[in-house]
Each structure stands twice: as structure tokens, then as C-alpha cells.
Amino acid sequence: MLEQHRLRSRRKTLKRTAIQPREMGEIPADSNKKHDQKGPDAATWFHSYMHGGTSSLISTLTTLVTFPVYKTVFRQQLHSTSVRGAVAQLYAEGPWKLYRGVVPPLLMRTLNGTLLFGLQGTLLEQLSFWSKSVFPREALQALAGLGTAVAEALVFTPFERVQNVLQNSGNDRSLPTLRSILVRLSQQTLAAGYYRALLPILVRNALGNSLYFGLKDPTSSALRDHGFSPLASSFTSGVVNSIMISLPFYPLSVLVANMQAQVGGESVGVRASALQLWQARQRRVALLYRGGLLVVLRSCITWGITTAIYDQLERRTG
């Protein structure tokens, strides 16, 4: 009888042990396997899109304030003039034309942040799920940034094309309104119209996005280790990364501006356009970088604010 009592007690103990994880709210091993098979959580993707759009929407205020600076840079890129010469051009045109071309970047900025951060988060989750921690997270972030560049170029090249046409004062008479520009570009082939300069834009965005997402978190973590607050480290990370991206890739932006500013005429390829630009700048790198300092300044402000807001929103939901 005593032996039977011990056996019954042992069976009860084993049953309690078997069901204890469920009673304590723990996840059984089988459940973990099923969860891994389902892949990333959709809520994570939604937060990335929402936070990217929110941070970019707020930073559009800086786009609105700094647009005259950007337009000054554009004139330097197009005509290779000094800052004083570009400002004189804008002054002669009058204040009512100062913000001609501001609508595309305002729309583009908000949509760009939504796509950029959201799609990068989606690709990162997928890559992390399929790589099974084989690659470092920083490498996966850079690779996800490379993937976003393709979608970004396909979606936003028409916006940049329209913006550059609007900002070129040489088009004011022949293309006085946004509607007239859209109609004119629609009459051309995609390569000559809306998607003019797609290749340099794709290269610029691919390299820039990879560097930004690959360096953003490591830079922010290093700054926090040196005593920076989370907000200050995110802002400084955005500033530092924007400098590292804007300076080396500025000539590509100059090439894009010159390729997209004109509508109609002889359509030449990227190589021929680059050679023409190099000849027009008298084969001098200094002339090719005219306006670069203002671009870096504007980029630092915009990306510092965007990065700080995005990381702050991510920390609150994380």
C-alpha cells in the first residue's frame, strides 16, 4: 500500500510539472517553433511605417524653412555660380517665385520617410528571420537599406524630376505651371520624361541608404557610451551620417540636377552627361562642389531631426 501511494504521488507531481509552464504563462518549446515559423510580427512593420512617416512629416517644417537654401544650391549646381550669384538670380526673379517648386519636396519628404523607414524595417525583419543570426545586424540593416533604395528610386524619381524642372528659371515661360510640366513629361518616353537620370539616382540612394542604416545604430550606441542622452545621440548620429553621405555623393546630385532641369532637346545618356558636366566645370573638383556646403548644412538639420524623432518613437513603442 505504501509503495502504491508513493507511485500515485509521483504521477501527480509529474502531471503538475508538465502543465506548469502553461499555468505560469510560459511559452512551451513547441509554441516557440510555431512562432518562428510564422515570421516577423506585422505590428513591427506598421510601427516602422508610421514612425517613419511621422518623423518625416515633422521634419517637413525644416524643408519649408530651408527651401530657399536648397533652391540657391540648385542654381549653383545648374549654372556653377557663386552663392552671391545664385542669390542675385533669385532676388531678380522676385519673392513670388522663391517657392516655385516647393510642392514636390514637401510631398516627397513625408512619403519618402514612410517608405524609407517602413520598407527598411520590413526587409530587416525578413532578412533577420531568414538569416538565422548568421550575419551581424549592422550588415543586415545596410542590406535592407540597399533594398529600399530600389523602391525609393522608382517611386520618387518623378517627384525629383518635376521639382528640378520647376526650379529651373529657363522653363518659366515655356512651362509656367505644374500642370503644363506634367503634360509635357507625359508626352515623352519614361526614360526621357519622368525617369530621366534614374541610374545616378539609384546609385546615389543605394549607397546612401546602406551607409545611413548600417551606421545609424552603431554611431548612436557609441555616443550613448560616451555619456550622450538617447535623444542627443540619435540627433548627432543623423548629423554625422548625413555628412558622411552628402559629401562623397554630392557630385551625383549635381549630375542629376543638370540632367533633369531641361525638358525636350537632345537626350544624352549618363556617361555623356557626366562628361559634359565635367567639361562645363573646367575639369575642376572645386567647381563641381559648388553649393556643397549648403547641402551638407541642410542635410544635417533635416536628418538630425528625422533620426531623433524616429528613434524616440521607436523607443516609446519598444
Side-chain angles (χ1 to χ4, degrees):
M1 293 293 294
L2 181 59
E3 186 64 28
Q4 291 178 356
H5 178 72
R6 287 178 179 176
L7 287 173
R8 282 196 297 269
S9 299
R10 187 177 180 183
R11 287 171 184 167
K12 290 180 181 179
T13 302
L14 289 174
K15 288 180 180 179
R16 285 196 299 268
T17 304
I19 64 173
Q20 187 177 2
R22 294 182 184 271
E23 293 176 349
M24 296 298 292
E26 298 178 6
I27 301 175
D30 292 340
S31 178
N32 282 331
K33 292 180 180 178
K34 291 179 181 179
H35 178 73
D36 290 341
Q37 292 173 356
K38 290 180 181 178
D41 185 7
T44 304
W45 300 349
F46 174 75
H47 287 149
S48 297
Y49 285 97
M50 183 179 67
H51 295 164
T54 302
S55 60
S56 296
L57 179 62
I58 296 174
S59 67
T60 53
L61 296 175
T62 64
T63 301
L64 190 63
V65 172
T66 61
F67 183 75
V69 175
Y70 181 85
K71 197 165 186 177
T72 302
V73 172
F74 175 80
R75 294 298 173 85
Q76 289 186 272
Q77 293 175 341
L78 194 62
H79 304 297
S80 187
T81 61
S82 62
V83 175
R84 180 177 294 182
V87 171
Q89 285 183 11
L90 297 176
Y91 181 79
E93 293 171 12
W96 54 89
K97 286 190 176 181
L98 183 61
Y99 276 87
R100 175 179 162 89
V102 73
V103 175
L106 286 178
L107 293 174
M108 181 177 170
R109 183 66 194 162
T110 302
L111 296 174
N112 180 267
T114 304
L115 180 67
L116 183 67
F117 288 101
L119 185 57
Q120 195 272 345
T122 300
L123 293 176
L124 179 60
E125 291 292 335
Q126 291 287 357
L127 288 171
S128 300
F129 174 68
W130 291 111
S131 67
K132 304 299 183 184
S133 302
V134 174
F135 300 101
R137 185 170 178 81
E138 291 78 11
L140 295 179
Q141 288 175 325
L143 187 59
L146 183 66
T148 63
V150 178
E152 188 181 17
L154 292 175
V155 173
F156 296 113
T157 294
F159 285 83
E160 193 166 354
R161 170 68 155 144
V162 173
Q163 178 185 350
N164 286 331
V165 173
L166 281 168
Q167 291 181 144
N168 183 9
S169 60
N171 299 320
D172 288 355
R173 291 186 178 180
S174 59
L175 300 169
T177 64
L178 176 61
R179 179 182 175 83
S180 63
I181 293 173
L182 296 177
V183 171
R184 184 72 170 275
L185 293 177
S186 299
Q187 293 172 347
Q188 299 180 325
T189 63
L190 288 177
Y194 286 112
Y195 282 93
R196 176 78 173 148
L198 174 63
L199 182 59
I201 289 175
L202 183 59
V203 173
R204 180 195 65 190
N205 292 358
L207 296 175
N209 288 2
S210 297
L211 285 173
Y212 175 78
F213 286 109
L215 297 174
K216 181 174 76 73
D217 288 347
T219 304
S220 182
S221 298
L223 290 170
R224 284 198 300 272
D225 292 340
H226 284 79
F228 282 70
S229 67
L231 186 63
S233 64
S234 295
F235 178 82
T236 308
S237 174
V239 170
V240 171
N241 289 332
S242 69
I243 294 174
M244 296 178 64
I245 295 169
S246 299
L247 278 178
F249 302 136
Y250 181 73
L252 283 175
S253 295
V254 178
L255 176 61
V256 169
N258 280 268
M259 290 182 68
Q260 291 189 336
Q262 307 296 333
V263 180
E266 183 183 0
S267 180
V268 295
V270 176
R271 182 186 176 122
S273 298
L275 289 174
Q276 289 178 4
L277 177 63
W278 183 238
Q279 294 289 346
R281 295 300 185 267
Q282 304 173 24
R283 298 175 175 269
R284 294 172 57 187
V285 176
L287 293 180
L288 195 61
Y289 268 86
R290 272 192 166 170
L293 182 61
L294 292 177
V295 165
V296 171
L297 176 62
R298 176 178 176 269
S299 179
C300 287
I301 296 172
T302 301
W303 281 106
I305 293 174
T306 301
T307 305
I309 296 173
Y310 177 80
D311 286 351
Q312 185 72 7
L313 292 172
E314 286 286 290
R315 280 190 289 268
R316 287 184 178 180
T317 57

